[in-house]
Amino acid sequence: MKQDREGSQGEDGNVRTGNSPADIKQSILDNLYFSQARIPQTATLNDWYMALAYAVRDRMLDNWLTSNIHRGRKDLKIVSYLSAEFLMGPHLGNNLMSLGIREQAQQAVTELGLDMDALLQQEAEPGLGSGGLGRLAACYLDSLATLQVPAIGYGVRYEFGIFDQEIRDGWQVEKTDKWLNLGNPWEICRPEIVFTVKGGGHTEHYYDEQGRFRVRWAPNRVIKGVAYDTPVAGYCAGMTDILRLWKSEAVESFDFQAFNVGDYYKAVDEKVISETISKVLYPNDEPFIGKQLRLAQQYFFVSCSLQDMIRIHFLRGNNSLENFHESFAVQLNDTHPSLAVAELMRLFVDEHLMDWDLAWRVTQSTLSYTNHTLLPEALEKWPLHLFASVLPRHLEIIYEINRRFLDEVRRKYPDDHQRAVRVSLIDEHCEKFVRMANLACVGCHAINGVAVLHTMLLKRTILRDFFELYPERFHNVTNGVTPRRWIALSNPELARLITDSIGEGWIKNLEKELHKLESFARDAAFQKDWQKVKQKNKEALAAVIRERTGIVVDPLSLFDVQVKRFHEYKRQHLNIFHVITLYNRIRNNPGIDIEPRTVIFGGKAAPGYFMAKLIIKLINSVAEVVNSDPVVKGRLKVVFFPDFNVTNGQMIYPAADLSEQISLAGKEASGTGNMKFSMNGALTIGTLDGANVEIRKEVGDENFFLFGLTTEEVENVKSCGCDPCNTYESNTHLKELIDEIAAGAFSRGDRNLFMPLLDALLHHDEYLVFADYQSYVDCQDQVSDAFRDRQRWTTMSILNTARMGKFSSDRSIREYCDRIWQAKAVTDRREKR
Ligand code: NBG
């Protein structure tokens, strides 16, 4: 073994960080020996994965430490992205790519007799997020690092991330995600970067020796947050940013007083309770659930993060906090971290004795807020009594902010009492609540929506009063996704084809370069290559579908895909109704010539969201019937792909022909899956909702399948109080399929199973599934027609990819930097250690 380890020196002589295959190979062996304490003869696959991961991490450290020097520079603003979720996806493949050592590592691994794919699959996905908002945060970190902007992502190191989804008897079953079980080689624990966080108790008011009014918060518990850093390497950039996640721990492992009197169990209690705070991610995305632990979690990571920023601010040589906003631009990813408004005020005023007015100016200049939802029920508001019991001091601060704010509102609108009631930080309708979006709007200098339509609707609906008060604070920054993970990494064949045609500039400059593909859209040879890539991706997905679900699908059929969280507003049920419609057509006319389709669904439902889970059950029930009915003859298949996550997404997006973006207009803030599909050459069937509007504008109306009511039409339908029963009665195909479900055609005769869903549709149809049904089905027929003409389809597909440059997260981050953060990239030459 010793020989193995010492082996040959790499070409550039630096085994620890050199990039030659020989260096990397040696480094893997060294790490296997010194970090995993294993020799090759006894190493498990996981040992090898860990050894490779450490070898890669070693190569990231040089840039990381250099970047730390930049973060220490007073003249450079650091972007702090505060987010309760970071859905990073597996690191290994992405880091190999960012460092530009994929091929060398491949060679090293092969020489060691290992299989790179198996090693990549060994990595447990860090699922520290539940959907779009968390994944957006991850894309933004990638772009910040690639654009060389000094940044820190701050969040929670959940011990259990988003649950793993299994399907049993057609139902979703949640399994605990144990992503840390086999160790996490990417994080570095910083036991010395630790902060205490108080909770509960009461406040005491007093005057200090200098006669100043002061407030002391006497908490009834204190925990500490320990920093865990994960490096985020920019793509072929000198910058490595940091994801800093906080783990909660007991201040003392044992309560010695309790221990001494013999109550061993009570002594350990404290430790257990403290560690609960960062235990588990709340798996809901849209509807707000007011759980005390969640409030404690939010406060925990906000407080640790702000204390850390203040530490760094002083480390940079500042001696006052007056210019804190020149050190940090802090972005609040939705209202989950909006306690930052009150906490920063508390830290400034109570802990650092700053004058209130100055503290308020600095707080506002530092913070900005992104809204991610238009659903009123998703807006966070905490019951006042609960808030007071966890954060008594913050409630006082919020009252003071509110007093001053409402004075200002009343000065501006002296006779408009109702307006003051609406914008107040406290909802006093019956039970009292603290309104977190209002707190964010008042305490931030910038507020943004995540797509043009979304921002427009924010100004017109849920944030209208704030728009009228502070129009200058409102911005739109349309979301984007990173082309590194979502094209280069997940679709390597397509990436190669693009690079062969237009060079590799697109990877870092999607907006300027990708459109060059347009000139190949009608080129016969290029089209063939393009089709080949898609075909290969579809075959690969078909193999995985077979392995995971047992369902055999035809890779030549149209892959019609809807993957996203399950929610009624996203209308997965509309999609399955279309499937039933196709099925009925086949049964009514068995010889019918229809374009073969494979309809693929994927996504998780919040564990407590009954209706979403019932829709999953319906999809699986329809799948069971359709897939086994001989009359269908392979023309239609339905697949529920279990456990949709980043890893699976990387396989699914590249294999899609058709992207389903069918939310009710006015409900989806932006969507980002829509971008990933289109970049990978899928055509979209979609409503005028979220970023679909902008995608359609970019790719061209003729390359987008549009259907459904517009936001204005939705408002009209809603205000006319139309009865969904009328639509049901008057549309024979719709009536037929609803009656079939009701009769138990997909539930082995059980007429009760889907009743709650059908009742909701027939009596309220909140998300206008019935109203959009016919338009959707007609549009799907156009899709089928278009797909018959492969040449035309391929042209449309190429044009979709070619025109998606705008939706790179690099563009979004540039906009945030210029318009909101006033942050700059590190442009000067790299300083060496
Ligand atoms: C989601 C929206 C999506 C949007 C992402 C990222 C939440 C609360 N909102 O439409 O539903 O794309 O945020 O902005 O997760």
Side-chain angles (χ1 to χ4, degrees):
M1 170 57 226
K2 197 156 182 280
Q3 222 180 356
D4 273 355
R5 240 197 334 98
E6 284 177 351
S8 64
Q9 277 266 305
E11 290 149 25
D12 60 8
N14 189 350
V15 169
R16 191 90 201 220
T17 56
N19 286 342
S20 71
D23 285 335
I24 295 174
K25 179 178 168 192
Q26 192 57 46
S27 184
I28 296 171
L29 288 166
D30 284 349
N31 275 300
L32 186 71
Y33 192 87
F34 291 115
S35 307
Q36 282 302 101
R38 284 274 195 242
I39 54 172
Q41 289 80 346
T42 56
T44 63
L45 184 62
N46 192 61
D47 289 323
W48 284 113
Y49 158 72
M50 296 288 280
L52 172 59
Y54 284 127
V56 173
R57 197 183 79 180
D58 285 345
R59 284 157 177 78
M60 299 172 81
L61 292 185
D62 201 22
N63 278 338
W64 185 353
L65 297 173
T66 315
S67 306
N68 265 347
I69 296 173
H70 291 308
R71 276 182 284 270
R73 278 173 43 183
K74 244 173 131 174
D75 59 320
L76 280 174
K77 207 188 254 191
I78 301 174
V79 173
S80 266
Y81 202 82
L82 256 65
S83 178
E85 304 189 1
F86 285 92
L87 196 45
M88 299 297 282
H91 294 288
L92 178 57
N94 200 64
N95 286 338
L96 286 169
M97 177 180 67
S98 296
L99 296 175
I101 56 169
R102 267 204 285 193
E103 275 148 34
Q104 298 92 312
Q106 173 72 59
Q107 189 180 329
V109 161
T110 311
E111 283 176 21
L112 288 166
L114 302 163
D115 172 12
M116 183 59 108
D117 286 338
L119 290 172
L120 287 166
Q121 278 165 27
Q122 183 59 29
E123 179 170 358
E125 170 168 333
L128 308 188
S130 63
L133 166 149
R135 182 54 229 175
L136 184 76
C139 283
Y140 282 178
L141 288 188
D142 179 273
S143 285
L144 281 161
T146 299
L147 295 174
Q148 300 190 274
V149 179
I152 305 176
Y154 281 110
V156 184
R157 182 178 175 278
Y158 301 106
E159 187 178 331
F160 304 113
I162 184 73
F163 62 85
D164 295 334
Q165 180 195 54
E166 282 179 16
I167 301 297
R168 272 199 227 141
D169 188 29
W171 293 98
Q172 164 176 298
V173 176
E174 299 93 22
K175 290 282 164 119
T176 324
D177 156 63
K178 303 193 182 99
W179 72 290
L180 290 171
N181 252 13
L182 293 175
N184 174 8
W186 302 105
E187 67 183 8
I188 292 180
C189 175
R190 304 278 190 202
E192 288 177 307
I193 302 183
V194 51
F195 298 99
T196 54
V197 178
K198 301 182 213 176
H202 64 275
T203 63
E204 291 161 11
H205 297 185
Y206 66 101
Y207 288 87
D208 67 12
E209 309 81 60
Q210 278 113 32
R212 284 178 303 205
F213 175 74
R214 303 277 307 272
V215 180
R216 186 185 299 120
W217 177 9
N220 59 16
R221 59 182 177 273
V222 178
I223 58 170
K224 66 180 186 185
V226 182
Y228 282 72
D229 289 351
T230 302
V232 180
Y235 178 81
C236 300
M239 198 76 192
T240 293
D241 282 327
I242 302 177
L243 173 61
R244 178 162 285 171
L245 302 178
W246 302 101
K247 174 176 190 279
S248 62
E249 287 185 5
V251 176
E252 296 293 339
S253 290
F254 289 94
D255 177 341
F256 284 103
Q257 226 179 340
F259 192 50
N260 286 340
V261 296
D263 193 349
Y264 180 80
Y265 293 101
K266 183 169 180 297
V268 185
D269 263 6
E270 178 62 25
K271 180 167 163 58
V272 174
I273 292 166
S274 305
E275 289 181 355
T276 313
I277 301 283
S278 61
K279 216 23 147 213
V280 60
L281 166 82
Y282 279 91
N284 306 300
D285 53 348
E286 300 273 5
F288 169 66
I289 312 236
K291 287 275 196 304
Q292 172 163 343
L293 182 61
R294 168 112 174 161
L295 179 64
Q297 246 176 19
Q298 295 184 349
Y299 177 59
F300 165 70
F301 93 89
V302 163
S303 179
C304 290
S305 308
L306 290 171
Q307 292 185 64
D308 191 41
M309 289 176 232
I310 290 176
R311 175 188 70 92
I312 295 170
H313 178 74
F314 287 125
L315 266 183
R316 293 174 131 200
N318 294 291
N319 45 30
S320 114
L321 287 166
E322 276 176 36
N323 61 341
F324 182 73
H325 56 289
E326 290 166 11
S327 276
F328 285 96
V330 177
Q331 191 67 32
L332 309 180
N333 197 25
D334 215 323
T335 53
H336 315 144
S338 59
L339 281 168
V341 176
E343 174 66 356
L344 199 52
M345 286 301 286
R346 188 190 69 84
L347 290 166
F348 284 166
V349 173
D350 291 2
E351 310 263 326
H352 293 270
L353 307 186
M354 213 193 254
D355 156 73
W356 180 282
D357 291 315
L358 177 62
W360 184 240
R361 277 200 302 280
V362 178
T363 296
Q364 280 187 321
S365 309
T366 305
L367 303 177
S368 40
Y369 157 56
T370 306
N371 171 291
H372 293 270
T373 187
L374 287 158
L375 306 185
E377 70 269 26
L379 292 182
E380 291 193 297
K381 49 177 198 171
W382 295 102
L384 197 87
H385 63 89
L386 188 151
F387 195 99
S389 72
V390 179
L391 300 168
R393 176 57 184 143
H394 295 77
L395 187 59
E396 288 179 350
I397 291 173
I398 287 172
Y399 277 143
E400 180 60 16
I401 295 172
N402 202 32
R403 188 183 65 76
R404 292 165 182 248
F405 167 61
L406 291 181
D407 280 350
E408 178 192 330
V409 174
R410 288 192 199 100
R411 269 198 305 276
K412 236 178 163 164
Y413 302 95
D415 303 317
D416 196 347
H417 175 64
Q418 273 316 310
R419 181 181 296 265
V421 169
R422 291 196 304 271
V423 296
S424 170
L425 306 190
I426 310 293
D427 176 348
E428 310 201 44
H429 279 100
C430 28
E431 192 198 342
K432 289 188 182 180
F433 292 96
V434 183
R435 295 163 162 163
M436 302 313 278
N438 297 32
L439 177 64
C441 287
V442 173
C444 292
H445 71 279
I447 301 162
N448 78 283
V450 291
V452 171
L453 176 69
H454 171 231
T455 302
M456 195 264 281
L457 292 172
L458 279 181
K459 294 177 184 171
R460 272 198 0 212
T461 63
I462 53 172
L463 299 183
R464 178 180 182 149
D465 291 315
F466 291 99
F467 177 58
E468 285 171 9
L469 273 167
Y470 308 122
E472 72 291 347
R473 289 190 194 178
F474 281 74
H475 302 263
N476 175 62
V477 182
T478 298
N479 284 345
V481 301
T482 168
R484 270 77 64 184
R485 185 176 289 271
W486 295 113
I487 306 178
L489 184 65
S490 51
N491 202 344
E493 304 265 339
L494 190 77
R496 195 167 312 129
L497 180 58
I498 298 174
T499 297
D500 287 348
S501 319
I502 63 170
E504 61 182 8
W506 61 274
I507 303 178
K508 277 186 113 165
N509 210 338
L510 206 71
E511 234 184 322
K512 287 232 174 67
E513 299 290 326
L514 198 59
H515 73 90
K516 293 180 183 163
L517 268 186
E518 278 191 37
S519 56
F520 296 88
R522 289 175 185 83
D523 177 315
F526 187 81
Q527 284 213 348
K528 237 199 192 107
D529 291 340
W530 191 265
Q531 287 168 349
K532 247 191 240 152
V533 170
K534 181 63 79 184
Q535 200 51 38
K536 244 180 124 175
N537 293 337
K538 289 169 73 174
E539 280 159 19
L541 182 62
V544 178
I545 288 175
R546 182 172 197 167
E547 177 197 313
R548 309 236 173 125
T549 67
I551 302 171
V552 178
V553 305
D554 174 8
L556 290 172
S557 63
L558 188 160
F559 275 21
D560 171 349
V561 188
Q562 187 172 21
V563 285
K564 49 179 80 249
R565 287 297 291 248
F566 268 77
H567 200 295
E568 287 161 281
Y569 85 77
K570 296 179 188 277
R571 303 199 294 191
Q572 282 93 348
H573 39 344
L574 179 57
N575 187 347
I576 200 70
F577 290 172
H578 170 245
V579 171
I580 300 175
T581 305
L582 290 182
Y583 179 53
N584 286 341
R585 279 188 201 165
I586 295 174
R587 284 196 313 162
N588 295 336
N589 178 4
I592 192 174
D593 175 23
I594 70 162
E595 195 55 30
R597 273 194 200 232
T598 301
V599 185
I600 300 166
F601 294 85
K604 296 173 185 177
Y609 190 172
F610 169 72
M611 208 59 103
K613 291 175 122 175
L614 192 59
I615 295 173
I616 292 180
K617 172 67 176 169
L618 176 62
I619 290 167
N620 283 302
S621 304
V622 172
E624 187 183 296
V625 171
V626 170
N627 295 347
S628 63
D629 189 338
V631 76
V632 173
K633 292 209 190 76
R635 284 170 290 182
L636 183 60
K637 279 274 160 74
V638 185
V639 174
F640 189 95
F641 194 109
D643 204 34
F644 178 63
N645 55 15
V646 175
T647 311
N648 292 327
Q650 288 178 206
M651 254 179 327
I652 295 173
Y653 295 115
D657 293 307
L658 184 67
S659 154
E660 298 271 353
Q661 306 302 335
I662 60 176
S663 52
L664 175 65
K667 297 291 177 190
E668 189 71 88
S670 161
T672 43
N674 47 4
M675 301 169 187
K676 295 164 197 166
F677 276 112
S678 188
M679 278 182 188
N680 282 283
L683 306 192
T684 305
I685 181 165
T687 49
L688 282 179
D689 200 14
N692 294 355
V693 178
E694 289 157 81
I695 292 176
R696 177 165 174 264
K697 189 165 164 217
E698 291 293 308
V699 304
D701 300 0
E702 67 288 3
N703 299 308
F704 187 106
F705 296 98
L706 179 71
F707 77 97
L709 301 169
T710 63
T711 41
E712 289 85 62
E713 289 163 351
V714 168
E715 278 164 29
N716 294 340
V717 173
K718 292 249 157 181
S719 60
C720 83
C722 305
D723 184 355
C725 271
N726 295 340
T727 317
Y728 157 80
E729 292 290 353
S730 62
N731 188 314
T732 48
H733 298 301
L734 177 63
K735 183 166 189 308
E736 183 185 8
L737 77 91
I738 295 294
D739 292 349
E740 283 165 359
I741 300 173
F746 303 102
S747 43
R748 303 178 190 176
D750 184 342
R751 293 162 172 270
N752 293 323
L753 182 59
F754 297 116
M755 251 333 142
L757 179 64
L758 301 183
D759 273 347
L761 290 169
L762 286 162
H763 296 125
H764 314 285
D765 197 8
E766 169 90 25
Y767 302 105
L768 303 185
V769 172
F770 284 6
D772 270 346
Y773 167 80
Q774 194 55 52
S775 156
Y776 179 59
V777 170
D778 293 344
C779 192
Q780 286 284 21
D781 289 340
Q782 290 170 30
V783 170
S784 292
D785 286 346
F787 195 67
R788 277 171 197 272
D789 180 350
R790 289 307 150 89
Q791 203 182 326
R792 174 176 159 223
W793 184 276
T794 307
T795 305
M796 293 165 82
S797 165
I798 298 168
L799 288 176
N800 257 267
T801 301
R803 295 176 177 171
M804 285 298 287
K806 167 175 169 185
F807 301 96
S808 164
S809 43
D810 298 347
R811 188 266 314 145
S812 315
I813 286 299
R814 279 197 200 96
E815 291 183 4
Y816 279 103
C817 283
D818 295 346
R819 298 200 225 135
I820 296 181
W821 301 330
Q822 273 78 50
K824 290 197 176 54
V826 174
T827 43
D828 47 1
R829 304 288 317 142
R830 289 178 51 193
E831 292 163 39
K832 272 283 163 196
R833 278 178 285 160

